Amino acid sequence: MTILAIDGPAAAGKGTLAKRLAAHFGYDHLDTGALYRAVASRSLRTGETPEHAAERFAVGDLGAGDLRAEKVAQHASVVAAVPAVRAALLAFQRDFARRPPGGKGAVLDGRDIGTVVCPWPDTIKFFVTASLEARAKRRYEELIAKGESPIHAAVLAEMAERDARDAQRATAPLKPAPDAILLDTSGMTAEDVFHAALAAIAGKTR
């Protein structure tokens, strides 16, 4: 069973890469950030504490219509720093990795897949990153494409704040696993990143 772990900060391109690798190999994909967004959405909607929202998490929560909303994304970063929330969702993620629905392999992307969720030596780990400026530009363009009217300076500031929160939290901070393959996507196209990852995987599995 092959497990691909893809970590990195927001808007680095890890989600795009994870989806392409999953489609290429026929593996199942889990965007673990969606779990935290689902908990954040539930907490905002019901007034439950993040801990209680995580305890009540169900797969159906991933269908909430506001998971990609910027308000939910920002709150998800706060929710993800709560140790009880991470503990509540850990078993679900590990079960998906070891027993993916399709049975061929799993691709998980998030912040702590290679360091906490799937730290095992047989996991192929990537850390996908890019400069703050490059990532803020991508997020700004995403919001424009959605019909929103973001202020670039605000997007940059919010991303810097989120980076700091993710990297400095006491539980499962954002950092590369010691054996992770580093991909800096600042000057790369999605196609470049995909082929670089394929080459790295081939080197690990030959």
Side-chain angles (χ1 to χ4, degrees), residues 151-162:
I151 298 172
H152 187 273
V155 173
L156 185 70
E158 287 173 0
M159 187 160 287
E161 180 183 342
R162 184 174 178 183

Side-chain angles (χ1 to χ4, degrees), residues 12-86:
K14 65 184 180 297
T16 298
L17 176 61
K19 290 172 187 172
R20 289 199 65 176
L21 290 175
H24 178 80
F25 290 111
Y27 295 167
D28 293 293
H29 171 234
L30 178 64
D31 170 8
T32 65
L35 306 182
Y36 294 98
R37 287 192 293 274
V39 171
S41 172
R42 182 184 181 110
S43 177
L44 288 170
R45 191 172 60 252
T46 65
E48 293 175 303
T49 65
E51 295 89 337
H52 288 163
E55 288 170 2
R56 292 166 174 74
F57 169 79
V59 174
D61 292 333
L62 295 172
D66 63 349
L67 295 194
R68 291 292 172 182
E70 195 62 17
K71 179 181 180 181
V72 171
Q74 286 296 321
H75 191 51
S77 181
V78 175
V79 163
V82 179
V85 171
R86 303 199 76 84

Side-chain angles (χ1 to χ4, degrees), residues 9-13 128-135 138 163 183-187:
V128 181
T129 189
S131 69
L132 175 61
E133 292 74 14
R135 292 185 293 112
R138 291 171 189 170
D163 284 354
L183 288 177
D184 188 329
T185 68
S186 299

